[in-house]
């Protein structure tokens, strides 16, 4: 069957291929346009970025850690590498101190051994850091591969109702932005977090072993750095938040301009659009300057505070050295330890915001993973399928208390062509949604060959139905793969026969690579009518017992419509067909025409009978063909 299942509930305007479609009533579409990354410059990290927190951080963290279970070998190897690197990083200054003291005391005999140990420590530390980067990247990609795989499988199995009622951009953002945030944390921050904590512990231990008092003096300047960082971050965050908001607004303006450039040009609104863009850009420039000044000042100020720490160590260390409490080599080691001590604190402060953002993203991903999947239960249907469809007293509402379908009853005999007509919002497409089990009825029954559709698995049900929609959906792939989308077991002979029957064989023959031609941007290099012919051919190849045509010719010209009509006539031959149409010229030969209004059948009969009644169908017909005012 055709895989275009995005049939929109017309009464609410819920589903369309565009994720920006508004939803009436209380169904609010939340904008989740991915915002540009502010990146990390110098020592700022993302301290000024808006901090998004997860509501259940412990639960989310626990679930994320479950994805590391299968990667325990990489985790253990990473931990060993980090521990080795931290040990070497802590021991290297000690070797340096001993070397300086040996030089001062002219004890050159063991100096060579100490220098070799110091060199080995720095080399091993550098190699372990390099290996940490490799292992972290490998671990992050393996973890995120499994997480994205689970999320994609979940999305493909979610009910259509869920997709209809949630922003498409938000769903895609969870697959891209949120998953990428988690990957970045694992690749760049996990090792930094562990090594930072171990480095703090090791450095403090070494400093205390040399001089508790000098350690206390060194830590005082580091605490001053932490206090400054905390306060300046609070001040600068509002500017970064405002800058992100303005970036989102500016991107939205550009996107609308590019998407709707024909409309803007047609109404000569270029100057007005440029003015609106300039106003937003000016405000963004001012905010960006302030944000960059504040953010850019953090590095120099923190370097200055770090240098103050060196001065403190040098001054008080010299006094302690003169009094014989410590050696000159210890002073040099303390200067290095003071730097090593402040660096992990600054990194941990930056990682806090990134980890919180990643946990929030993880929570959003798990929220989708926890959604109930579509009910595909049911058994097989007796083959061959006759295509007898029956609706019995069906009632349905998208929003409780606001019925869309009211006591709908209809029997469609095998091989008959039934047309559903009516004004927008009358419930025509909703009937198709219910038949396809995209939504479940509130009450009543829908039968296929005498068997409830809820006793038939969705795979069996949908394999029996082919759909051709108004909004043609083709994929960025070869024409062959697009046509064989419902089944890959199609022979070349069957493919060519279907193309001839759907009148798209000449179209394909005139393309450079024929069936192997790759469609650009989902068929943007073809006309609307050409794309529609290809979707009809795809429906042919799905070999359905029941055919659904939903406004299949409403967006093409009259000449193309005639060609498509011929293709559809061939396609509908000996198949039960349900046709939704606003152009009444396309359904005049239907076996029965069902006129709907507010979810109810108000008239039924063939074209001549309904015209003779001079009822609702007559009014619709005269409006289209006689220009009569109703």
């Amino acid at each position: 069957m055709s895989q275009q299942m995005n049939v929109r509930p017309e009464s609410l305007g819920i589903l369309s291929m565009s994720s920006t479609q508004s939803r009436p009533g209380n169904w609010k579409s939340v904008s989740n346009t991915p915002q540009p990354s502010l990146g990390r410059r110098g020592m700022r990290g993302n301290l000024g970025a808006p901090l998004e927190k997860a509501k259940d951080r412990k639960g989310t963290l626990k679930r994320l850690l479950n994805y590391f279970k299968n990667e325990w070998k990489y985790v253990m190897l990473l931990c060993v590498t980090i521990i080795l690197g931290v040990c070497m990083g802590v021991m290297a200054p000690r070797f340096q101190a001993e070397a300086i003291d040996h030089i001062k005391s002219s004890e050159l005999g063991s100096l060579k051994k100490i220098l070799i140990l110091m060199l080995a420590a720095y080399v091993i530390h550098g190699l372990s850091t390099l290996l940490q980067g490799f292992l972290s990247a490998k671990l992050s990609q393996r973890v995120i591969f499994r997480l994205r795989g689970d999320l994609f499988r979940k999305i493909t199995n979610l009910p259509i109702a869920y997709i209809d009622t949630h922003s498409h951009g938000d769903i895609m953002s969870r697959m891209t932005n949120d998953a990428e945030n988690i990957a970045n944390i694992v690749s760049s921050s996990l090792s930094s977090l562990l090594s930072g904590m171990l480095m703090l512990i090791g450095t403090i231990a070494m400093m205390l072993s040399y001089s508790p008092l000098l350690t206390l003096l060194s830590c005082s300047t580091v605490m001053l750095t932490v206090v400054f960082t905390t306060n300046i971050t609070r001040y600068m965050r509002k500017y970064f938040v405002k800058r992100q908001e303005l970036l989102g607004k500016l991107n939205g303006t550009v996107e609308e301009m590019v998407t709707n450039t024909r409309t803007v040009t047609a109404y000569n609104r270029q100057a007005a659009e440029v003015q609106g863009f300039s106003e937003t850009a000016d405000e963004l420039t001012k905010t960006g300057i302030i944000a960059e000044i504040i953010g850019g000042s953090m590095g120099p100020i923190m370097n200055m505070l770090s240098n103050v720490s060196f001065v403190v160590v040098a001054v008080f260390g010299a006094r302690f050295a003169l009094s014989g409490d410590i050696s000159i080599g210890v002073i040099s080691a303390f200067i290095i330890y003071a730097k090593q001590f402040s660096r992990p604190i600054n990194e941990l402060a930056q990682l806090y915001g990134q980890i919180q953002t990643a946990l929030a993203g993880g929570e959003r991903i798990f929220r989708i993973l926890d959604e109930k999947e579509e009910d595909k239960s049911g058994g097989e249907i007796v083959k061959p399928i006759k295509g007898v469809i029956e609706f019995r007293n069906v009632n349905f509402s998208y929003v409780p208390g606001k019925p869309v379908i009211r006591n709908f009853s209809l029997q469609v005999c095998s091989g008959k062509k039934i047309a559903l007509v009516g004004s927008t919002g009358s419930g025509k497409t909703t009937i198709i949604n219910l038949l396809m089990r995209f939504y479940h009825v509130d009450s009543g029954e829908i039968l296929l060959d005498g068997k409830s559709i809820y006793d038939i698995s969705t795979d069996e049900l949908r394999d029996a139905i082919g759909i051709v929609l108004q909004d043609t959906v083709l994929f960025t792939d070869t024409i062959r793969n697009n046509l064989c989308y419902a089944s890959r077991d199609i022979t070349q002979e069957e493919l060519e026969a279907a193309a001839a029957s759907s009148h798209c064989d000449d179209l394909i023959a005139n393309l450079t690579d024929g069936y192997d031609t790759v469609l650009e941007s989902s068929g943007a290099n073809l006309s609307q009518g050409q794309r529609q012919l290809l979707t009809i051919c795809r429906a042919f190849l799905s070999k359905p017992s029941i055919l659904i045509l939903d406004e299949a010719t409403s967006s093409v010209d009259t000449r193309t419509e005639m060609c498509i009509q011929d293709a559809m006539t061939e396609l509908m031959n000996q198949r039960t067909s349900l046709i939704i149409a606003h152009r009444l010229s396309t359904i005049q030969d239907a076996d029965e025409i069902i006129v709907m209004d507010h979810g109810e059948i108000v008239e039924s009969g063939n074209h001549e009978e309904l015209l003779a009644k001079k009822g609702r169908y007559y009014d619709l017909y005269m409006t289209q063909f006689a220009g009569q005012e109703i």
Side-chain angles (χ1 to χ4, degrees):
M1 59 174 272
S2 172
Q3 297 298 314
Q4 293 176 243
M5 297 183 181
N6 292 11
V7 183
R8 62 188 183 284
E10 61 187 358
S11 57
L12 290 178
I14 296 172
L15 179 64
S16 78
M17 296 307 296
S18 171
S19 61
T20 58
Q21 181 177 344
S22 61
R23 293 171 174 80
N26 295 324
W27 295 31
K28 298 181 180 179
S29 175
V30 181
S31 174
N32 287 277
T33 304
Q35 299 297 324
S37 172
L38 294 179
R40 178 163 63 181
R41 182 177 300 173
M43 302 179 69
R44 280 183 296 162
N46 65 343
L47 291 173
L51 185 59
E52 185 180 4
K53 295 183 178 181
K55 295 180 180 179
D56 182 16
R57 282 175 285 184
K58 290 183 178 179
T60 302
L61 180 60
K62 183 178 180 180
R63 294 184 67 174
L64 282 175
L65 291 177
N66 286 334
Y67 281 88
F68 288 84
K69 287 183 178 179
N70 293 338
E71 313 299 336
W72 64 271
K73 292 182 180 179
Y74 287 98
V75 174
M76 294 301 297
L77 187 57
L78 179 61
C79 290
V80 170
T81 305
I82 290 174
I83 293 173
L84 179 62
V86 169
C87 290
M88 294 299 101
V90 171
M91 291 303 299
R94 187 182 187 93
F95 294 141
Q96 178 177 312
E98 292 180 3
I100 292 175
D101 289 338
H102 277 69
I103 294 173
K104 179 178 178 298
S105 59
S106 299
E107 299 176 4
L108 304 180
S110 57
L111 179 62
K112 182 178 180 180
K113 179 181 178 181
I114 295 174
L115 290 176
I116 292 175
L117 290 174
M118 184 175 67
L119 177 62
Y122 280 120
V123 170
I124 293 174
H125 178 266
L127 292 176
S128 67
T129 302
L130 182 65
L131 186 56
Q132 286 175 37
F134 171 78
L135 292 173
S136 296
K138 186 79 172 179
L139 181 61
S140 70
Q141 292 307 311
R142 290 176 68 90
V143 168
I144 210 64
F145 172 79
R146 293 177 55 233
L147 182 61
R148 276 196 175 125
D150 290 347
L151 181 58
F152 189 79
R153 280 188 291 271
K154 186 70 177 189
I155 291 175
T156 57
N157 287 285
L158 285 173
I160 294 294
Y162 180 90
I163 304 298
D164 287 351
T165 56
H166 290 77
S167 166
H168 296 181
D170 178 51
I171 295 174
M172 289 187 289
S173 177
R174 301 185 196 210
M175 175 67 75
T176 53
N177 288 6
D178 293 334
E180 193 63 28
N181 284 335
I182 297 173
N184 289 337
I185 284 295
V186 176
S187 64
S188 63
S189 303
L190 185 62
S191 59
S192 298
L193 180 64
L194 181 57
S195 63
M197 291 188 295
L198 292 177
M199 184 65 75
L200 276 176
I201 296 172
T203 300
I204 291 177
M206 295 298 296
M207 293 171 72
L208 288 173
S209 68
Y210 281 127
S211 173
L213 183 57
L214 193 56
T215 300
L216 181 62
L217 291 170
S218 299
C219 291
S220 63
T221 58
V222 173
M223 292 302 106
L224 181 63
T225 302
V226 173
V227 171
F228 166 77
T229 302
T230 303
N231 286 281
I232 196 67
T233 299
R234 292 174 182 173
Y235 179 70
M236 68 187 287
R237 179 166 291 135
K238 65 178 182 179
Y239 289 101
F240 278 89
V241 170
K242 185 177 180 181
R243 188 172 80 166
Q244 276 197 306
E245 292 174 349
L246 291 171
L247 276 172
K249 182 179 179 181
L250 199 68
N251 288 340
T253 302
V254 174
E255 181 184 6
E256 285 189 348
M257 178 63 189
V258 173
T259 304
N260 304 315
T261 182
R262 293 179 182 273
T263 304
V264 173
T265 304
Y267 284 94
N268 290 322
R269 295 288 298 174
Q270 295 96 325
E273 294 294 337
V274 170
Q275 182 180 356
F277 176 87
S278 299
E279 292 174 356
T280 305
D282 289 344
E283 189 176 1
L284 174 61
T285 301
K286 295 175 183 177
T287 305
I289 290 174
I290 297 174
E292 288 297 330
I293 289 175
I294 299 174
S297 67
M298 288 192 66
I301 294 176
M302 292 175 70
N303 285 332
M304 181 191 70
L305 293 175
S306 179
N307 292 332
V308 169
S309 176
F310 299 156
V311 172
V312 170
V313 171
V315 171
F316 286 94
R319 292 189 60 180
F320 294 156
L322 290 175
S323 62
D325 295 329
I326 58 175
S327 65
I328 295 176
V330 170
I331 297 176
S332 68
F334 249 95
I335 291 176
I336 298 175
Y337 283 136
K339 184 177 181 179
Q340 287 186 176
F341 182 72
S342 60
R343 182 180 59 81
I345 291 180
N346 293 331
E347 287 184 351
L348 291 175
Q350 295 176 28
L351 289 177
Y352 175 78
Q354 297 176 21
I355 291 172
Q356 293 300 324
T357 300
L359 287 177
E363 187 175 62
R364 282 159 47 81
I365 290 174
F366 292 134
R367 203 173 297 147
I368 290 185
L369 291 177
D370 291 337
E371 287 291 334
K372 187 177 180 180
E373 294 187 2
E374 181 183 22
D375 179 15
K376 298 183 178 181
S377 61
E380 295 184 0
I381 190 170
V382 178
K383 303 290 179 66
I385 298 172
K386 298 177 182 178
V388 178
I389 304 170
E390 184 177 1
F391 294 84
R392 291 181 182 173
N393 306 114
V394 172
N395 292 278
F396 173 76
S397 58
Y398 292 107
V399 180
K402 297 181 179 180
V404 177
I405 302 297
R406 299 176 176 86
N407 197 32
F408 184 88
S409 295
L410 174 67
Q411 184 166 2
V412 182
C413 297
S414 176
K416 295 296 183 181
K417 185 193 302 184
I418 305 299
L420 300 177
V421 301
S423 58
T424 300
S426 59
K428 304 183 298 296
T429 302
T430 300
I431 293 297
I432 306 305
N433 282 345
L434 299 177
L435 176 61
M436 295 290 295
R437 281 183 61 175
F438 292 160
Y439 291 84
H440 286 207
V441 299
D442 295 339
S443 62
E445 284 185 297
I446 304 177
L447 307 176
L448 175 58
D449 288 356
K451 188 175 183 179
S452 172
I453 61 171
Y454 298 108
D455 294 330
I456 306 172
S457 71
T458 56
D459 290 342
E460 289 278 326
L461 176 67
R462 292 167 187 169
D463 278 342
I465 302 175
I467 301 182
V468 179
L469 301 176
Q470 172 186 358
D471 298 323
T472 57
V473 176
L474 296 172
F475 300 94
T476 305
D477 202 341
T478 63
I479 289 181
R480 183 187 307 277
N481 289 338
N482 270 282
L483 298 182
C484 300
Y485 191 71
S487 174
R488 299 291 180 175
D489 299 327
I490 302 220
T491 65
Q492 182 66 25
E493 292 74 18
E494 290 176 319
L495 186 60
E496 292 176 357
S501 298
S502 56
H503 300 278
C504 63
D505 50 344
D506 290 338
L507 159 66
I508 298 172
N510 290 329
L511 295 174
T512 306
D513 297 317
Y515 289 97
D516 295 318
T517 301
V518 177
L519 297 179
E520 300 174 3
S521 302
S522 303
N525 51 332
L526 301 177
S527 70
Q528 177 68 25
Q530 290 173 327
R531 293 198 296 268
Q532 193 65 282
L533 288 174
L534 291 177
T535 61
I536 292 173
C537 183
R538 180 169 59 191
F540 255 111
L541 291 168
S542 69
K543 302 174 183 177
S545 300
I546 300 169
L547 182 64
I548 295 173
L549 303 175
D550 187 358
E551 301 286 358
T553 62
S554 62
S555 58
V556 298
D557 60 88
T558 304
R559 184 176 179 179
T560 305
E561 180 185 6
M562 293 176 62
C563 184
I564 293 176
Q565 282 283 34
D566 292 339
M568 290 193 301
T569 300
E570 181 71 21
L571 180 59
M572 289 185 288
N573 186 33
Q574 296 182 345
R575 289 186 173 96
T576 302
S577 303
L578 294 177
I579 308 168
I580 297 174
H582 281 119
R583 289 187 183 178
L584 302 185
S585 60
T586 63
I587 48 92
Q588 292 183 15
D589 61 341
D591 296 308
E592 186 174 11
I593 299 173
I594 306 299
V595 184
M596 296 183 63
D597 188 35
H598 294 91
E600 297 178 308
I601 298 176
V602 293
E603 285 182 338
S604 64
N606 60 36
H607 176 67
E608 291 76 14
E609 291 172 347
L610 291 176
L611 284 181
K613 289 182 181 179
K614 293 193 175 182
R616 180 61 178 161
Y617 181 81
Y618 176 83
D619 293 340
L620 292 172
Y621 182 84
M622 294 304 292
T623 300
Q624 288 191 21
F625 294 98
Q628 180 176 328
E629 294 291 338
I630 303 297

